[in-house]
């Protein structure tokens, strides 16, 4: 059995750890609502953008715009969105497991977040660029990343651009997701699609009904609107996904840290019990020794 | 009289959502006055002032570049900036203008940064315009 000093030292060290995990839990708990709100705030914008895009796509030829063109995939570019800090449970590990399935020779990476950069370096993946993204980035900051991806796609260096990020489902569930960013196609349109269908139903019978062949009037013309809106859509998508990853991060960290704090509590309880037992045993032994000594003398 | 539902959304929030009588939007080809029962239209926006008429009152929003979707009963504005006159910080806007102008003088910075600075300039000018216009005419802000 360990001696009392040893146990006391362990209790102290577990308490210290508990203090850290609890502090981190509090920090994440306060950041989480903000991150979740930011991820939700873009929903109106996304819905509208999707609506405009869908009605545009019906009017123009799929292959008429380079960003809509499906090419045989020789090289894939993956934007890997991770956290900057650890201590968020299996969040990054799960995401990296998804990306590790991608073929080495034909995949290039862009990292956003320090953990992603570390992972790519460790696994010797081809990393084209590394972006540091702030806690809650602005659209302008994210544009650098999406601009880089757009350039690679348009120059033909990548035939497909995918974003690997952790999608926020709810506080307890975050799902590692690979989503195609470019080329833009009908099946890459995310959530807004359902609302769009709803909107369409409401438009039935009005002059905006897409069924009666009388769609929107485009100013200056459909082509220039398309040229302007497609890159904007890409920028916004990346922005949305990064915010989503942030919401996931804080939720995951809060849950992981809460578990850690709880574990520390049980550990301290067990150790304290152990400590008391050892202490009592020591006292008993000592008493016995004194009595025996006295008896021997007497 | 029928009204229009005007919605102004930015990537970070829904700035405005009201029933209005008429809205004038700064389109790519010039200003569009939109009344209810307008034909469906999608236009690009230039940074500028969005004029809203509602119950006999006029108010303004400074908007950045973006898109507008017009339906018979609804106008949705997608933009990267939307500010009321009250939100505009005149000195900050002026400072941004000076900064953007200085950046534009510098020819070495590449087209990307140039475009960024130009957009910044246009946005700040729109802010100032809305601020001064709103004050100059003593137009009460409906919000």
């Amino acid at each position: 059995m360990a001696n009392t000093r040893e146990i006391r030292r362990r209790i102290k060290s577990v308490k210290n750890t508990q203090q850290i995990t609890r502090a981190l839990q509090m920090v994440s708990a306060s950041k989480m609502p903000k991150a979740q709100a930011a991820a939700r705030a873009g929903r109106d914008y996304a819905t509208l953008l999707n609506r405009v895009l869908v009605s545009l796509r019906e009017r123009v030829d799929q292959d008429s715009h380079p960003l809509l063109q499906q090419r045989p995939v020789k090289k894939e570019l993956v934007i890997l969105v991770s956290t900057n800090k650890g201590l968020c449970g299996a969040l990054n590990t799960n995401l990296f497991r998804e990306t590790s399935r991608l073929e080495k020779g034909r995949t290039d990476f862009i990292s956003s977040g320090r953990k992603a950069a570390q992972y790519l370096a460790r696994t010797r993946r081809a990393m084209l660029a590394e972006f540091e993204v702030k806690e809650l980035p602005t659209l302008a900051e994210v544009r650098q990343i999406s601009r880089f991806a757009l350039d690679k796609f348009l120059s033909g260096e990548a035939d497909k651009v995918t974003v690997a990020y952790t999608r926020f489902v709810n506080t307890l569930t975050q799902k590692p997701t690979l989503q195609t960013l470019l080329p833009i196609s009908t099946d890459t349109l995310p959530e807004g699609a359902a609302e769009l269908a709803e909107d369409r139903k409401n438009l039935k019978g009005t002059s905006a009904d897409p069924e009666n062949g009388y769609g929107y009037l485009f100013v200056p013309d459909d082509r220039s609107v398309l040229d302007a809106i497609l890159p904007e859509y890409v920028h916004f998508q990346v922005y949305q996904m990064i915010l989503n990853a942030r919401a996931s991060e804080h939720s995951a960290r809060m849950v992981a840290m809460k578990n850690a704090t709880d574990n520390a509590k049980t550990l301290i309880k067990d150790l304290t019990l152990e400590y008391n037992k050892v202490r009592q045993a020591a006292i008993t032994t000592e008493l016995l020794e004194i009595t025996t000594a006295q008896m021997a003398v007497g | 009289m029928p009204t229009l539902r005007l919605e102004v959304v930015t990537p970070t929030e829904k700035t405005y959502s009201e029933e209005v009588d008429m809205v004038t939007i700064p389109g790519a080809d010039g200003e569009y006055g939109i009344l209810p029962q307008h034909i469906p239209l999608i236009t690009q926006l230039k940074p500028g002032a969005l004029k809203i008429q509602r119950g006999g009152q006029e108010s303004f929003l400074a908007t950045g570049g973006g898109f507008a979707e017009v339906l018979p009963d609804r106008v949705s504005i997608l933009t990267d900036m939307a500010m009321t006159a009250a939100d505009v910080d005149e000195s900050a806007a002026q400072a941004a203008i000076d900064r953007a102008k200085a950046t534009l003088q510098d020819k070495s910075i590449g087209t990307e940064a140039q475009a960024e600075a130009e957009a910044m300039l246009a946005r700040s000018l729109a802010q100032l315009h809305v601020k001064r216009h709103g004050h100059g005419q003593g137009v009460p802000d409906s919000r």
Side-chain angles (χ1 to χ4, degrees), chain A residues 41-42 44-45 48-49 51-52 55 139 147 199 203 207-208 214-220 224-225 228-229 236 239, chain B residues 9-14 28-29 32 39-44 67 69-72 74 76-80 112 116:
Chain A
D44 291 322
Y45 194 85
L48 253 158
L49 204 55
R51 196 161 64 211
V52 176
S55 48
L139 187 54
R147 165 71 39 207
D199 262 334
L203 289 178
S207 50
Y214 185 55
Y216 291 101
L217 181 71
F218 286 95
V219 177
S224 9
V225 174
I229 208 167
F236 183 68
Y239 175 66
Chain B
V9 292
T10 66
T12 46
E13 61 176 347
K14 185 178 257 178
D29 290 359
Y32 290 87
I39 59 160
L41 171 109
I42 288 176
T43 175
Q44 269 179 275
F67 305 92
E69 182 202 37
V70 178
L71 290 174
R74 186 168 54 186
S76 314
I77 310 279
L78 280 169
T79 175
D80 50 9
E112 187 79 2
E116 191 73 24

Side-chain angles (χ1 to χ4, degrees), chain A residues 198-209:
Chain A
E198 178 70 18
D199 262 334
R200 298 227 138 159
K201 246 192 329 213
N202 295 340
L203 289 178
K204 268 233 151 26
T206 67
S207 50
D209 187 351

Side-chain angles (χ1 to χ4, degrees), chain A residues 145-164:
Chain A
I145 305 177
S146 37
R147 165 71 39 207
F148 186 84
L150 276 171
D151 286 347
K152 290 284 170 205
F153 182 78
L154 289 175
S155 69
E157 281 170 74
D159 304 300
K160 187 182 170 195
V161 180
T162 311
V163 183

Side-chain angles (χ1 to χ4, degrees), chain B residues 35-57:
Chain B
L35 286 163
Q37 306 303 322
H38 197 283
I39 59 160
L41 171 109
I42 288 176
T43 175
Q44 269 179 275
L45 293 180
K46 277 191 308 205
L50 190 75
K51 189 162 96 179
I52 303 161
Q53 282 171 3
R54 179 166 169 259
Q57 286 189 326

Side-chain angles (χ1 to χ4, degrees), chain A residues 12-260:
Chain A
K12 214 167 149 193
S13 108
V14 173
K15 267 189 184 154
N16 279 338
T17 314
Q18 189 192 23
Q19 239 163 27
I20 296 170
T21 57
R22 186 178 291 141
L24 269 175
Q25 181 195 336
M26 299 295 184
V27 170
S28 291
S30 74
K31 279 183 180 169
M32 190 180 68
K34 214 188 278 173
Q36 289 182 8
R40 269 195 301 267
R43 211 174 276 166
D44 291 322
Y45 194 85
T47 314
L48 253 158
L49 204 55
N50 281 355
R51 196 161 64 211
V52 176
L53 207 59
V54 167
S55 48
L56 262 170
R57 212 170 28 209
E58 280 161 5
R59 310 216 339 176
V60 293
D61 185 17
Q62 278 283 340
D63 293 330
S64 67
H65 197 279
L67 289 180
L68 296 171
Q69 245 163 37
Q70 305 272 355
R71 301 194 296 243
V73 181
K74 286 195 287 286
K75 201 85 174 172
E76 188 176 345
L77 184 63
V78 178
I79 305 176
L80 188 56
V81 183
S82 80
T83 65
N84 279 328
K85 297 197 177 85
L87 293 182
C88 46
L91 194 77
N92 287 322
T93 323
N94 287 343
L95 182 65
F96 297 157
R97 192 181 308 131
E98 287 294 315
T99 49
S100 68
R101 291 199 198 119
L102 300 164
E103 248 179 272
K104 227 171 193 175
R106 38 180 296 210
T107 340
D108 288 337
F109 284 88
I110 300 176
S111 78
S112 146
R114 207 169 303 144
K115 291 283 161 186
Q118 282 166 5
Y119 163 79
L120 294 174
R122 200 168 57 232
T123 52
R124 295 175 200 286
R125 295 281 191 160
M127 183 161 69
L128 298 184
E130 185 181 339
F131 290 97
E132 287 278 329
V133 179
K134 273 196 269 175
E135 174 59 40
L136 283 177
T138 62
L139 187 54
E141 284 160 0
V142 172
R143 257 172 223 268
Q144 294 179 349
I145 305 177
S146 37
R147 165 71 39 207
F148 186 84
L150 276 171
D151 286 347
K152 290 284 170 205
F153 182 78
L154 289 175
S155 69
E157 281 170 74
D159 304 300
K160 187 182 170 195
V161 180
T162 311
V163 183
Y165 73 111
T166 320
R167 193 161 57 86
F168 176 78
V169 182
N170 57 41
T171 308
L172 292 175
T173 325
Q174 297 89 29
K175 202 173 175 307
T177 311
L178 289 174
Q179 190 169 324
T180 310
L181 184 69
L182 292 166
I184 300 165
S185 80
T186 338
D187 42 278
T188 62
L189 273 187
E191 292 103 44
E195 292 161 59
L196 186 77
E198 178 70 18
D199 262 334
R200 298 227 138 159
K201 246 192 329 213
N202 295 340
L203 289 178
K204 268 233 151 26
T206 67
S207 50
D209 187 351
E211 305 257 313
N212 65 20
Y214 185 55
Y216 291 101
L217 181 71
F218 286 95
V219 177
D221 55 80
D222 15 0
R223 183 70 200 197
S224 9
V225 174
L226 195 69
D227 279 345
I229 208 167
L230 286 179
E232 197 51 44
Y233 175 76
V234 173
H235 293 313
F236 183 68
Q237 281 285 91
V238 176
Y239 175 66
Q240 231 7 37
M241 287 190 247
I242 288 182
L243 287 185
N244 222 292
R246 282 287 178 276
S248 299
E249 175 187 347
H250 290 306
S251 313
R253 179 165 301 131
M254 194 190 79
V255 173
M257 287 302 109
K258 181 168 182 349
N259 287 340

